[in-house]
Amino acid sequence: MDSFSKDIPSIDFDKLAPKPPDVMADDRILLAWHRSHMANERTFLSWSRTSLGLLGFGFVMERFDIFIRHLLRLQGLNVRAGASDTITVLSVLAFILAGVLILAAGLRFVSVRRHINRGEAKFSLLPEFLVGVSVVVIIGMALVLSIPGIWEMTEALR
């Protein structure tokens, strides 16, 4: 061995890597580990409920459009047959966002579970941010796309 390699300190990378918690060492550690996993599962379930809510919202928009058209026909107003393009776009967007949301929920669940099992405290706020942005986008699109329809209905009622 030459003198140069003696001067370089060796680094034990195994000591630098985060160690998984020894959950059997103490009851408090075991309970904290269980609480973390249960919180992760509750978060996954709440994201799943949100995704189902978006799916339901898409169906309700389609049905509500049919209901409004039927009411306008009952009042004797001439209404274009078929679904409104605006409502169709909004409901398809809600369906797509629901699929993306359930996929993101599953990926987030697996990622956080892996972090908990490894003992890492590294989590991302990106999924929560994306959910907030998608809700704002749906509400914004609903408002922007419904303005011409509201204008038509007010003109027809005059």
Side-chain angles (χ1 to χ4, degrees):
M1 204 179 234
D2 60 3
S3 65
F4 181 72
S5 62
K6 279 195 236 176
D7 295 338
I8 298 175
S10 65
I11 298 173
D12 188 7
F13 288 106
D14 291 333
K15 290 182 180 177
L16 295 177
K19 299 287 184 202
D22 186 14
V23 295
M24 296 302 173
D26 188 5
D27 285 342
R28 291 177 297 169
I29 295 174
L30 179 65
L31 291 174
W33 185 76
H34 280 294
R35 277 194 307 270
S36 297
H37 278 291
M38 287 187 286
N40 187 30
E41 289 172 7
R42 282 192 305 270
T43 303
F44 173 71
L45 292 174
S46 69
W47 281 48
S48 299
R49 282 192 308 268
T50 303
S51 177
L52 290 174
L54 274 173
L55 278 174
F57 183 61
F59 283 115
V60 166
M61 282 190 294
E62 284 287 335
R63 294 297 160 196
F64 188 69
D65 184 49
I66 293 170
F67 175 71
I68 292 294
R69 290 184 182 283
H70 183 68
L71 284 179
L72 290 175
R73 282 189 197 114
L74 288 176
Q75 291 180 354
L77 298 173
N78 189 9
V79 180
R80 184 174 56 102
S84 170
D85 294 336
T86 303
I87 298 296
T88 303
V89 167
L90 284 175
S91 60
V92 167
L93 180 66
F95 296 151
I96 291 171
L97 282 175
V100 168
L101 185 61
I102 195 68
L103 182 66
L107 292 174
R108 182 186 185 282
F109 173 77
V110 170
S111 172
V112 170
R113 183 179 182 98
R114 192 176 308 125
H115 286 300
I116 291 170
N117 286 336
R118 288 182 184 161
E120 299 171 346
K122 198 167 58 171
F123 304 104
S124 172
L125 292 176
L126 181 66
E128 287 86 356
F129 176 74
L130 290 176
V131 170
V133 167
S134 66
V135 168
V136 169
V137 165
I138 285 180
I139 291 171
M141 282 189 66
L143 291 174
V144 168
L145 293 174
S146 64
I147 289 173
I150 293 171
W151 187 261
E152 281 180 26
M153 290 193 328
T154 57
E155 291 295 321
L157 292 175
R158 290 184 187 181

